Amino acid sequence: MNLEKYQQYSRIARGLEKADLVLKDARIVNVFTEEIIRGDIAIQDGIIAGIGSFHGKEERDLAGRYVCPGFMTAIFIWNLHWLH
């Protein structure tokens, strides 16, 4: 990641700049701390820039649905493995 992108993600994480996409009102499963956190997920360039309270250029209301980003990545990679 170059310095400009890192600075952009930092501004988004601090709420100084809008992310491309914000998933609003999610229940975020943290597999490391075994917690479920309620909040928004700010996504920029396909990367999670922050979890908390955010505004985005595009916003989608998840209405309390569960999200487990790391788990979804693992499932996606596993499915790609079986395609070959």
Coordinates of all heavy atoms in Angstrom, one line a residue:
M1 N 0.8 -1.2 0.0 CA 0.0 0.0 0.0 C 0.9 1.2 0.0 O 1.8 1.3 0.8 CB -0.9 0.0 1.2 CG -1.8 1.2 1.4 SD -2.8 1.3 2.9 CE -3.4 -0.3 3.0
N2 N 0.6 2.2 -0.9 CA 1.4 3.4 -0.9 C 0.9 4.4 0.2 O -0.1 4.3 0.7 CB 1.4 4.0 -2.3 CG 0.1 4.5 -2.7 OD1 -0.7 5.1 -2.0 ND2 -0.3 4.4 -4.0
L3 N 1.8 5.4 0.4 CA 1.5 6.4 1.5 C 0.2 7.1 1.2 O -0.5 7.4 2.2 CB 2.7 7.3 1.6 CG 2.6 8.4 2.6 CD1 2.4 7.8 4.0 CD2 3.8 9.3 2.6
E4 N -0.1 7.5 0.0 CA -1.3 8.2 -0.3 C -2.6 7.4 0.1 O -3.5 8.0 0.7 CB -1.4 8.6 -1.8 CG -0.4 9.7 -2.1 CD -0.4 10.0 -3.6 OE1 -1.4 9.8 -4.3 OE2 0.6 10.6 -4.1
K5 N -2.6 6.2 -0.3 CA -3.7 5.3 0.1 C -3.8 5.1 1.6 O -4.9 5.2 2.2 CB -3.6 3.9 -0.6 CG -4.0 3.9 -2.0 CD -5.5 4.2 -2.1 CE -5.9 4.3 -3.6 NZ -7.3 4.8 -3.7
Y6 N -2.7 4.9 2.3 CA -2.7 4.8 3.7 C -3.3 6.1 4.4 O -4.1 6.0 5.3 CB -1.3 4.6 4.2 CG -1.2 4.4 5.7 CD1 -1.6 3.3 6.4 CD2 -0.8 5.5 6.5 CE1 -1.5 3.2 7.8 CE2 -0.8 5.4 7.9 CZ -1.1 4.3 8.5 OH -1.1 4.2 9.9
Q7 N -2.9 7.2 3.9 CA -3.4 8.5 4.4 C -4.9 8.6 4.1 O -5.7 9.1 5.0 CB -2.7 9.7 3.8 CG -1.2 9.8 4.3 CD -0.4 10.8 3.6 OE1 -0.7 11.1 2.4 NE2 0.6 11.3 4.3
Q8 N -5.4 8.2 3.0 CA -6.8 8.2 2.7 C -7.6 7.3 3.6 O -8.6 7.8 4.2 CB -7.1 7.8 1.2 CG -8.5 7.9 0.8 CD -8.8 7.3 -0.5 OE1 -8.1 6.4 -1.0 NE2 -9.8 7.9 -1.2
Y9 N -7.1 6.1 3.8 CA -7.8 5.2 4.8 C -7.8 5.8 6.2 O -8.8 5.6 6.9 CB -7.1 3.8 4.8 CG -7.2 3.1 3.4 CD1 -6.1 2.3 3.0 CD2 -8.3 3.2 2.6 CE1 -6.2 1.7 1.8 CE2 -8.3 2.6 1.3 CZ -7.2 1.8 1.0 OH -7.3 1.2 -0.3
S10 N -6.8 6.4 6.6 CA -6.7 7.1 7.9 C -7.7 8.2 8.0 O -8.4 8.3 9.0 CB -5.3 7.6 8.1 OG -5.2 8.3 9.3
R11 N -7.9 9.0 6.9 CA -8.9 10.1 7.0 C -10.3 9.5 7.1 O -11.2 10.0 7.8 CB -8.8 11.0 5.7 CG -7.5 11.9 5.8 CD -7.6 12.9 4.6 NE -7.7 12.3 3.3 CZ -6.7 12.0 2.6 NH1 -5.4 12.1 3.0 NH2 -6.9 11.4 1.4
I12 N -10.5 8.4 6.3 CA -11.8 7.7 6.4 C -12.1 7.2 7.8 O -13.2 7.4 8.4 CB -11.9 6.6 5.3 CG1 -12.0 7.3 3.9 CG2 -13.2 5.8 5.5 CD1 -11.8 6.3 2.8
A13 N -11.1 6.5 8.4 CA -11.2 5.9 9.7 C -11.5 7.0 10.8 O -12.2 6.7 11.7 CB -10.0 5.1 10.0
R14 N -11.0 8.2 10.6 CA -11.2 9.2 11.5 C -12.5 10.0 11.2 O -12.8 11.0 11.9 CB -10.0 10.2 11.5 CG -8.8 9.5 12.2 CD -7.6 10.4 12.2 NE -7.1 10.6 10.8 CZ -6.5 11.7 10.4 NH1 -6.3 12.7 11.1 NH2 -6.1 11.7 9.1
G15 N -13.2 9.7 10.2 CA -14.4 10.4 9.8 C -14.2 11.7 9.1 O -15.2 12.5 9.0
L16 N -13.1 11.9 8.6 CA -12.8 13.2 7.9 C -13.1 13.1 6.4 O -13.2 14.2 5.8 CB -11.3 13.6 8.1 CG -10.8 13.7 9.5 CD1 -9.3 13.9 9.5 CD2 -11.5 14.8 10.2
E17 N -13.3 11.9 5.9 CA -13.6 11.7 4.5 C -14.6 10.6 4.4 O -14.6 9.6 5.1 CB -12.3 11.4 3.8 CG -12.4 11.3 2.3 CD -11.0 11.1 1.6 OE1 -10.0 11.7 2.1 OE2 -11.0 10.3 0.7
K18 N -15.5 10.7 3.4 CA -16.5 9.6 3.2 C -15.8 8.4 2.5 O -15.0 8.6 1.6 CB -17.6 10.1 2.3 CG -18.6 11.1 3.0 CD -19.7 11.4 2.1 CE -20.7 12.3 2.9 NZ -21.9 12.6 2.0
A19 N -16.2 7.2 2.9 CA -15.8 6.0 2.2 C -16.7 5.8 1.0 O -17.7 6.3 0.8 CB -15.9 4.8 3.1
D20 N -16.1 4.9 0.0 CA -16.9 4.6 -1.1 C -18.3 3.9 -0.7 O -19.3 4.2 -1.3 CB -16.2 3.6 -2.0 CG -15.0 4.2 -2.8 OD1 -15.0 5.5 -2.9 OD2 -14.1 3.5 -3.2
L21 N -18.2 3.0 0.2 CA -19.4 2.3 0.7 C -19.4 2.1 2.2 O -18.3 1.9 2.8 CB -19.3 0.8 0.0 CG -20.4 -0.2 0.5 CD1 -21.8 0.3 0.1 CD2 -20.1 -1.5 -0.1
V22 N -20.5 2.3 2.8 CA -20.7 2.1 4.2 C -21.8 1.2 4.4 O -22.9 1.4 3.9 CB -20.9 3.4 5.0 CG1 -21.2 3.1 6.4 CG2 -19.7 4.3 4.9
L23 N -21.6 0.1 5.1 CA -22.6 -0.9 5.5 C -23.1 -0.4 6.9 O -22.4 -0.5 7.9 CB -22.1 -2.3 5.6 CG -21.4 -2.8 4.3 CD1 -20.8 -4.2 4.4 CD2 -22.5 -2.8 3.1
K24 N -24.3 0.1 6.9 CA -24.9 0.7 8.2 C -25.5 -0.4 9.0 O -26.1 -1.3 8.5 CB -25.9 1.8 7.8 CG -25.4 2.9 6.9 CD -24.4 3.8 7.5 CE -25.1 4.8 8.4 NZ -24.2 5.7 9.1
D25 N -25.5 -0.1 10.3 CA -26.2 -0.9 11.3 C -26.0 -2.4 11.2 O -26.9 -3.2 11.1 CB -27.7 -0.6 11.3 CG -28.5 -1.2 12.5 OD1 -27.9 -1.4 13.5 OD2 -29.7 -1.5 12.3
A26 N -24.7 -2.8 11.2 CA -24.4 -4.3 11.1 C -24.0 -4.8 12.5 O -23.7 -4.1 13.4 CB -23.2 -4.4 10.2
R27 N -24.2 -6.1 12.6 CA -23.7 -6.8 13.7 C -22.4 -7.5 13.2 O -22.5 -8.5 12.5 CB -24.7 -7.9 14.3 CG -25.9 -7.2 14.9 CD -26.8 -8.2 15.5 NE -27.9 -7.6 16.1 CZ -29.1 -8.1 16.3 NH1 -29.3 -9.4 15.9 NH2 -30.1 -7.5 16.8
I28 N -21.3 -7.0 13.7 CA -20.0 -7.5 13.2 C -19.4 -8.5 14.1 O -19.1 -8.2 15.3 CB -19.0 -6.2 13.0 CG1 -19.7 -5.2 12.2 CG2 -17.7 -6.7 12.5 CD1 -19.4 -3.8 12.6
V29 N -19.2 -9.7 13.6 CA -18.6 -10.8 14.3 C -17.1 -10.7 14.3 O -16.5 -10.7 13.3 CB -19.0 -12.2 13.8 CG1 -18.4 -13.3 14.6 CG2 -20.6 -12.3 13.7
N30 N -16.5 -10.5 15.5 CA -15.1 -10.4 15.7 C -14.6 -11.8 16.2 O -14.8 -12.1 17.4 CB -14.7 -9.3 16.7 CG -13.2 -9.1 16.8 OD1 -12.4 -10.1 16.6 ND2 -12.8 -7.9 17.0
V31 N -14.0 -12.6 15.3 CA -13.6 -14.0 15.7 C -12.4 -14.0 16.6 O -12.1 -15.0 17.2 CB -13.4 -14.8 14.4 CG1 -14.6 -15.0 13.6 CG2 -12.2 -14.2 13.6
F32 N -11.7 -12.9 16.7 CA -10.5 -12.8 17.5 C -10.9 -12.6 19.0 O -10.3 -13.2 19.9 CB -9.5 -11.8 17.0 CG -9.0 -12.1 15.7 CD1 -9.4 -11.3 14.6 CD2 -8.1 -13.1 15.4 CE1 -9.0 -11.6 13.3 CE2 -7.7 -13.4 14.2 CZ -8.1 -12.6 13.1
T33 N -11.8 -11.6 19.2 CA -12.2 -11.3 20.6 C -13.5 -12.0 21.0 O -13.9 -11.9 22.2 CB -12.4 -9.8 20.7 OG1 -13.5 -9.4 19.9 CG2 -11.2 -9.0 20.4
E34 N -14.1 -12.8 20.1 CA -15.4 -13.5 20.4 C -16.5 -12.5 20.8 O -17.3 -12.9 21.6 CB -15.1 -14.6 21.4 CG -14.1 -15.6 21.0 CD -13.9 -16.7 22.0 OE1 -14.5 -16.7 23.1 OE2 -13.0 -17.6 21.7
E35 N -16.5 -11.4 20.1 CA -17.5 -10.4 20.4 C -18.4 -10.1 19.2 O -17.9 -10.4 18.0 CB -16.9 -9.0 20.7 CG -16.1 -8.9 22.0 CD -15.5 -7.6 22.1 OE1 -14.5 -7.3 21.4 OE2 -16.0 -6.8 23.0
I36 N -19.6 -9.6 19.4 CA -20.4 -9.1 18.3 C -20.6 -7.6 18.5 O -21.1 -7.2 19.6 CB -21.7 -9.8 18.2 CG1 -21.5 -11.3 17.9 CG2 -22.6 -9.2 17.1 CD1 -22.7 -12.1 17.9
I37 N -20.0 -6.8 17.6 CA -20.0 -5.4 17.7 C -21.1 -4.8 16.8 O -21.2 -5.2 15.6 CB -18.7 -4.8 17.3 CG1 -17.6 -5.5 18.1 CG2 -18.6 -3.3 17.4 CD1 -16.2 -5.3 17.5
R38 N -21.9 -3.9 17.3 CA -22.9 -3.2 16.5 C -22.4 -1.9 15.9 O -21.8 -1.1 16.7 CB -24.2 -3.0 17.4 CG -25.4 -2.6 16.6 CD -26.2 -3.8 16.3 NE -27.4 -3.5 15.5 CZ -28.6 -3.9 15.8 NH1 -28.8 -4.6 16.8 NH2 -29.6 -3.6 15.0
G39 N -22.4 -1.7 14.6 CA -21.9 -0.5 14.1 C -21.9 -0.5 12.6 O -22.5 -1.4 11.9
D40 N -21.2 0.5 12.0 CA -21.1 0.6 10.6 C -19.7 0.1 10.1 O -18.7 0.1 10.9 CB -21.2 2.1 10.1 CG -22.4 2.8 10.6 OD1 -23.4 2.0 10.9 OD2 -22.4 4.0 10.8
I41 N -19.6 -0.3 8.9 CA -18.3 -0.8 8.3 C -18.1 0.2 7.1 O -18.8 0.2 6.1 CB -18.4 -2.2 7.8 CG1 -18.8 -3.1 9.0 CG2 -17.1 -2.6 7.2 CD1 -19.1 -4.6 8.5
A42 N -16.9 0.9 7.1 CA -16.5 1.8 6.1 C -15.6 1.0 5.1 O -14.6 0.4 5.6 CB -15.8 3.0 6.6
I43 N -15.9 1.0 3.8 CA -15.2 0.2 2.9 C -14.7 1.1 1.8 O -15.4 1.9 1.2 CB -16.0 -0.9 2.2 CG1 -16.5 -1.9 3.3 CG2 -15.2 -1.7 1.2 CD1 -17.5 -2.9 2.9
Q44 N -13.4 1.1 1.5 CA -12.7 1.9 0.5 C -11.9 1.0 -0.4 O -11.0 0.2 0.1 CB -11.9 3.0 1.1 CG -11.2 3.9 0.1 CD -12.2 4.8 -0.6 OE1 -13.3 5.1 0.0 NE2 -11.9 5.3 -1.7
D45 N -12.1 1.0 -1.7 CA -11.3 0.2 -2.6 C -11.3 -1.3 -2.2 O -10.3 -2.0 -2.4 CB -9.8 0.6 -2.7 CG -9.7 2.1 -3.0 OD1 -10.4 2.6 -3.9 OD2 -8.8 2.8 -2.4
G46 N -12.5 -1.8 -1.7 CA -12.6 -3.2 -1.3 C -11.9 -3.5 0.0 O -11.9 -4.7 0.4
I47 N -11.4 -2.5 0.7 CA -10.7 -2.8 2.0 C -11.5 -2.1 3.1 O -12.0 -1.0 3.0 CB -9.3 -2.2 1.9 CG1 -8.5 -2.9 0.9 CG2 -8.6 -2.2 3.3 CD1 -7.1 -2.3 0.6
I48 N -11.6 -2.8 4.2 CA -12.3 -2.2 5.4 C -11.4 -1.1 6.0 O -10.3 -1.4 6.4 CB -12.6 -3.3 6.5 CG1 -13.6 -4.3 5.9 CG2 -13.2 -2.6 7.7 CD1 -13.9 -5.4 6.8
A49 N -11.9 0.1 6.0 CA -11.1 1.3 6.5 C -11.5 1.5 7.9 O -10.7 2.2 8.6 CB -11.4 2.5 5.6
G50 N -12.6 1.1 8.4 CA -13.0 1.3 9.8 C -14.3 0.7 10.2 O -15.1 0.4 9.3
I51 N -14.4 0.5 11.5 CA -15.7 0.0 12.1 C -16.0 1.0 13.1 O -15.2 1.4 14.0 CB -15.5 -1.4 12.7 CG1 -15.2 -2.4 11.6 CG2 -16.7 -1.8 13.5 CD1 -14.8 -3.8 12.1
G52 N -17.3 1.5 13.1 CA -17.7 2.5 14.1 C -19.0 3.2 13.5 O -20.0 2.5 13.2
S53 N -18.9 4.5 13.4 CA -20.0 5.3 12.9 C -19.5 6.1 11.7 O -18.6 6.9 11.9 CB -20.5 6.2 14.0 OG -21.6 7.0 13.5
F54 N -20.0 5.8 10.5 CA -19.5 6.4 9.3 C -20.6 6.9 8.3 O -21.7 6.4 8.4 CB -18.5 5.4 8.5 CG -17.3 5.0 9.3 CD1 -17.3 3.8 10.0 CD2 -16.2 5.8 9.3 CE1 -16.2 3.5 10.8 CE2 -15.1 5.4 10.1 CZ -15.1 4.3 10.8
H55 N -20.2 7.7 7.4 CA -21.0 8.1 6.3 C -20.2 7.8 5.0 O -19.0 7.9 5.0 CB -21.3 9.6 6.3 CG -22.2 10.0 7.5 ND1 -23.5 9.7 7.6 CD2 -21.8 10.6 8.6 CE1 -24.0 10.1 8.7 NE2 -23.0 10.7 9.4
G56 N -21.0 7.4 4.0 CA -20.3 7.0 2.7 C -21.0 7.6 1.5 O -22.1 8.1 1.6
K57 N -20.3 7.5 0.4 CA -20.8 8.0 -0.9 C -22.0 7.1 -1.2 O -23.0 7.6 -1.8 CB -19.8 7.9 -2.0 CG -18.6 8.8 -1.7 CD -17.4 8.6 -2.6 CE -16.2 9.4 -2.2 NZ -15.0 9.0 -2.9
E58 N -21.9 5.8 -0.9 CA -23.0 4.9 -1.0 C -23.2 4.2 0.3 O -22.2 3.8 1.0 CB -22.7 3.8 -2.1 CG -23.8 2.8 -2.3 CD -23.5 1.7 -3.3 OE1 -22.5 1.9 -4.0 OE2 -24.3 0.7 -3.3
E59 N -24.5 4.1 0.8 CA -24.7 3.5 2.1 C -25.8 2.4 1.9 O -26.8 2.6 1.2 CB -25.2 4.6 3.1 CG -24.2 5.6 3.4 CD -24.6 6.6 4.4 OE1 -25.8 6.6 4.8 OE2 -23.8 7.4 4.9
R60 N -25.6 1.3 2.6 CA -26.6 0.2 2.6 C -26.9 -0.1 4.0 O -26.1 -0.4 4.9 CB -26.0 -1.0 1.9 CG -25.6 -0.7 0.5 CD -26.1 -1.7 -0.4 NE -25.7 -1.4 -1.8 CZ -25.0 -2.2 -2.6 NH1 -24.8 -3.4 -2.2 NH2 -24.7 -1.8 -3.8
D61 N -28.2 -0.1 4.3 CA -28.7 -0.4 5.7 C -28.8 -1.9 5.8 O -29.6 -2.6 5.2 CB -30.0 0.2 5.9 CG -30.5 0.1 7.3 OD1 -29.8 -0.5 8.2 OD2 -31.7 0.4 7.6
L62 N -28.0 -2.5 6.7 CA -28.1 -3.9 7.0 C -29.1 -4.3 8.0 O -29.4 -5.5 8.2 CB -26.7 -4.5 7.4 CG -25.6 -4.4 6.3 CD1 -24.4 -5.1 6.8 CD2 -26.1 -4.9 5.0
A63 N -29.7 -3.3 8.7 CA -30.8 -3.6 9.6 C -30.5 -4.7 10.6 O -31.3 -5.6 10.9 CB -32.1 -3.9 8.9
G64 N -29.2 -4.6 11.2 CA -28.9 -5.6 12.2 C -28.4 -7.0 11.7 O -28.2 -7.9 12.5
R65 N -28.2 -7.1 10.4 CA -27.8 -8.4 9.9 C -26.3 -8.6 10.4 O -25.6 -7.7 10.6 CB -27.8 -8.4 8.4 CG -29.3 -8.5 7.9 CD -29.3 -8.6 6.4 NE -30.6 -8.6 5.8 CZ -31.3 -7.6 5.4 NH1 -30.8 -6.4 5.5 NH2 -32.5 -7.7 5.0
Y66 N -25.9 -9.9 10.4 CA -24.6 -10.3 10.9 C -23.6 -10.2 9.7 O -23.9 -10.6 8.6 CB -24.6 -11.7 11.5 CG -25.3 -11.7 12.8 CD1 -26.7 -12.0 12.9 CD2 -24.6 -11.6 14.0 CE1 -27.3 -12.0 14.1 CE2 -25.2 -11.6 15.2 CZ -26.6 -11.8 15.3 OH -27.2 -11.8 16.5
V67 N -22.4 -9.8 10.0 CA -21.3 -9.7 9.0 C -20.1 -10.3 9.7 O -19.7 -10.0 10.8 CB -21.0 -8.2 8.6 CG1 -19.9 -8.2 7.6 CG2 -22.3 -7.6 8.0
C68 N -19.4 -11.1 9.0 CA -18.1 -11.7 9.4 C -17.1 -11.6 8.3 O -16.9 -12.6 7.6 CB -18.3 -13.2 9.9 SG -16.9 -13.8 10.7
P69 N -16.5 -10.5 8.1 CA -15.6 -10.3 7.0 C -14.5 -11.3 6.8 O -14.3 -11.8 5.7 CB -15.0 -8.9 7.2 CG -16.0 -8.2 8.1 CD -16.5 -9.3 9.0
G70 N -13.8 -11.7 7.8 CA -12.7 -12.6 7.6 C -13.2 -14.0 7.3 O -12.6 -14.7 6.5
F71 N -14.3 -14.4 7.8 CA -14.9 -15.7 7.5 C -15.3 -15.7 6.1 O -15.1 -16.7 5.4 CB -16.1 -15.9 8.5 CG -16.8 -17.2 8.2 CD1 -16.2 -18.4 8.6 CD2 -18.1 -17.3 7.7 CE1 -16.8 -19.6 8.4 CE2 -18.7 -18.5 7.5 CZ -18.1 -19.7 7.9
M72 N -15.9 -14.7 5.6 CA -16.4 -14.6 4.2 C -15.2 -14.7 3.2 O -15.2 -15.4 2.2 CB -17.1 -13.3 3.9 CG -18.4 -13.2 4.7 SD -19.5 -14.7 4.5 CE -19.9 -14.6 2.8
T73 N -14.0 -14.1 3.6 CA -12.8 -14.2 2.7 C -12.4 -15.6 2.7 O -12.0 -16.2 1.6 CB -11.7 -13.3 3.3 OG1 -12.2 -11.9 3.3 CG2 -10.5 -13.3 2.5
A74 N -12.4 -16.3 3.8 CA -11.9 -17.7 3.9 C -12.8 -18.6 3.0 O -12.3 -19.5 2.3 CB -11.9 -18.2 5.3
I75 N -14.1 -18.4 3.1 CA -15.1 -19.2 2.3 C -14.8 -18.9 0.8 O -14.8 -19.9 0.0 CB -16.5 -18.8 2.7 CG1 -16.8 -19.3 4.1 CG2 -17.5 -19.5 1.7 CD1 -16.7 -20.8 4.4
F76 N -14.6 -17.7 0.5 CA -14.4 -17.3 -0.9 C -13.1 -18.0 -1.5 O -13.1 -18.6 -2.5 CB -14.3 -15.8 -1.1 CG -14.0 -15.4 -2.5 CD1 -15.0 -15.5 -3.5 CD2 -12.7 -14.9 -2.8 CE1 -14.7 -15.1 -4.8 CE2 -12.5 -14.5 -4.1 CZ -13.5 -14.6 -5.1
I77 N -12.1 -18.0 -0.7 CA -10.8 -18.6 -1.1 C -11.0 -20.1 -1.2 O -10.6 -20.8 -2.1 CB -9.7 -18.3 -0.2 CG1 -9.3 -16.8 -0.3 CG2 -8.4 -19.1 -0.4 CD1 -8.4 -16.2 0.7
W78 N -11.7 -20.7 -0.2 CA -12.0 -22.2 -0.3 C -12.8 -22.5 -1.5 O -12.4 -23.5 -2.2 CB -12.7 -22.5 1.0 CG -13.0 -24.0 1.1 CD1 -12.1 -25.0 1.5 CD2 -14.2 -24.7 0.8 NE1 -12.6 -26.2 1.5 CE2 -13.9 -26.1 1.1 CE3 -15.4 -24.3 0.4 CZ2 -14.9 -27.1 0.9 CZ3 -16.4 -25.3 0.2 CH2 -16.1 -26.7 0.5
N79 N -13.8 -21.8 -1.9 CA -14.6 -22.0 -3.1 C -13.8 -21.9 -4.3 O -13.9 -22.7 -5.3 CB -15.8 -21.1 -3.1 CG -16.9 -21.5 -2.1 OD1 -17.0 -22.7 -1.8 ND2 -17.7 -20.6 -1.7
L80 N -12.9 -20.9 -4.4 CA -12.0 -20.8 -5.6 C -11.1 -22.0 -5.7 O -10.8 -22.5 -6.8 CB -11.1 -19.5 -5.5 CG -11.8 -18.2 -5.8 CD1 -10.8 -17.1 -5.6 CD2 -12.4 -18.2 -7.1
H81 N -10.6 -22.6 -4.6 CA -9.8 -23.7 -4.6 C -10.5 -24.9 -5.3 O -9.9 -25.6 -6.1 CB -9.4 -24.1 -3.2 CG -8.7 -25.4 -3.1 ND1 -7.4 -25.6 -3.5 CD2 -9.1 -26.7 -2.6 CE1 -7.1 -26.9 -3.3 NE2 -8.1 -27.5 -2.8
W82 N -11.8 -25.1 -5.0 CA -12.5 -26.2 -5.6 C -12.9 -26.0 -7.0 O -13.3 -26.9 -7.7 CB -13.7 -26.5 -4.7 CG -13.3 -27.1 -3.5 CD1 -13.2 -26.6 -2.2 CD2 -12.9 -28.5 -3.3 NE1 -12.8 -27.4 -1.3 CE2 -12.6 -28.6 -1.9 CE3 -12.8 -29.6 -4.1 CZ2 -12.1 -29.9 -1.4 CZ3 -12.4 -30.8 -3.6 CH2 -12.0 -30.9 -2.3
L83 N -12.8 -24.8 -7.5 CA -13.2 -24.5 -8.9 C -12.1 -25.0 -9.9 O -12.4 -25.3 -11.1 CB -13.4 -23.0 -9.2 CG -14.6 -22.4 -8.5 CD1 -14.6 -20.9 -8.7 CD2 -15.9 -23.0 -9.1
H84 N -10.9 -25.2 -9.4 CA -9.8 -25.7 -10.3 C -9.6 -27.2 -10.3 O -9.8 -27.9 -9.5 CB -8.5 -25.0 -9.8 CG -8.5 -23.5 -10.0 ND1 -9.0 -22.7 -9.1 CD2 -8.0 -22.8 -11.1 CE1 -8.9 -21.4 -9.6 NE2 -8.3 -21.5 -10.8

